[in-house]
Amino acid sequence: MRILVVEDERKIADFVKRGLREEGYAVDAAYDGEEGLFLAKTNDYDLVLLDLMLPKLDGLAVCRKLKEAKVKAPIIMLTAKNTVRDKVLGLDSGADDYLTKPFAFEELLARIRAMFRKTEALTPTKLKVADLELDLVTHKVMRGSKDIDLTAKEYSLLEYLMRNQGTIVTRTMISEHVWDIDFDTFTNVIDVYINYLRNKIDSGFKSKLIHTVRSRGYILKEE
Ligand code: CA
C-alpha cells in the first residue's frame, strides 16, 4: 500500500514517513499543497494524509481539487484545529476521515487500517488464497499450519499480490503500490523480492501460488 503524506512541518512529515515505512507501507512526502496535489494526481496512491494548514494551497483546496480530478485515494485530514467548523469544512470538501494533531502514531495506524477496511469491505481483516492466509491487523502470515516470517517489504508485496489475487500485476503496478517515488524502476529489485517470497511461500509446498506471466508480470492464484 502506497501512502502520500502532505505536511509542511518537516519533523512531523519525517516522523510519519519513517513510522509508516517501518510498518511496510511505501510512503512519499510533499511539503506544500501544490506539490501534494501534483504528486497525488500523478501517482496512484492508496491513501493520502493531508495537513489542513499548508503553504501555497491549503488542505481544503487540495482535497476539493483531488475530488474534482476524480482521484480515488481516500483522504485523512490532519489538523491542529479541532473545532466543529473545521471538521465540517474538511468533510464537506471530500475528506474521508479526520485526525487532530497532536496524535499518537498508533491512532494514525488504526485510522489507516480502518480506512483500508472500509474501502475493501470484502476483506475485513484477513486475506486468503488457497491455504495462504495474511492477517491485516497482526501482519501474521501462514501457509497451512506453517508460520511465515516476512520482512516489512516482503509483507507489503505479498499483501498487494493477495489483494489482487487472480489478476496479473505488472512490475509497474507493483512499483507504484509497494515502492515509493525514489524507486528505480530499471532495477530488478521486484524480481528479487518475488524470489524471496517464493522461497518463503511456495518452496516446499506442492502447489505453487506465485506465477510468472511471461513479459507481463506476476499473478497470485491457486494452480
Ligand atoms: Ca501545517
Side-chain angles (χ1 to χ4, degrees), residues 125-129 132-137 139-142 150 155-156 158-160 162:
T125 56
K126 280 183 182 174
L127 300 174
K128 259 192 96 135
V129 177
L132 176 67
E133 199 172 277
L134 177 147
D135 190 313
L136 292 164
V137 180
H139 286 202
K140 195 175 153 75
V141 176
M142 294 194 74
L150 300 177
Y155 173 88
S156 191
L158 181 63
E159 181 189 345
Y160 184 68
M162 289 184 82

Side-chain angles (χ1 to χ4, degrees), residues 1-4 26-28 36-48 66 69-74 116 120 160 164 169-170 172-181:
M1 300 285 164
R2 186 174 175 188
I3 297 174
L4 174 65
V27 189
D28 297 332
L37 180 64
F38 173 76
L39 285 180
K41 284 167 89 169
T42 313
N43 301 304
D44 191 4
Y45 292 104
D46 301 293
L47 182 85
V48 179
L66 287 179
K70 305 256 185 294
V71 169
K72 284 199 291 288
F116 286 147
E120 320 217 353
Y160 184 68
N164 292 284
V169 291
T170 64
T172 306
M173 287 162 73
I174 293 173
S175 74
E176 281 177 356
H177 288 270
V178 182
W179 271 270
D180 56 55
I181 204 163

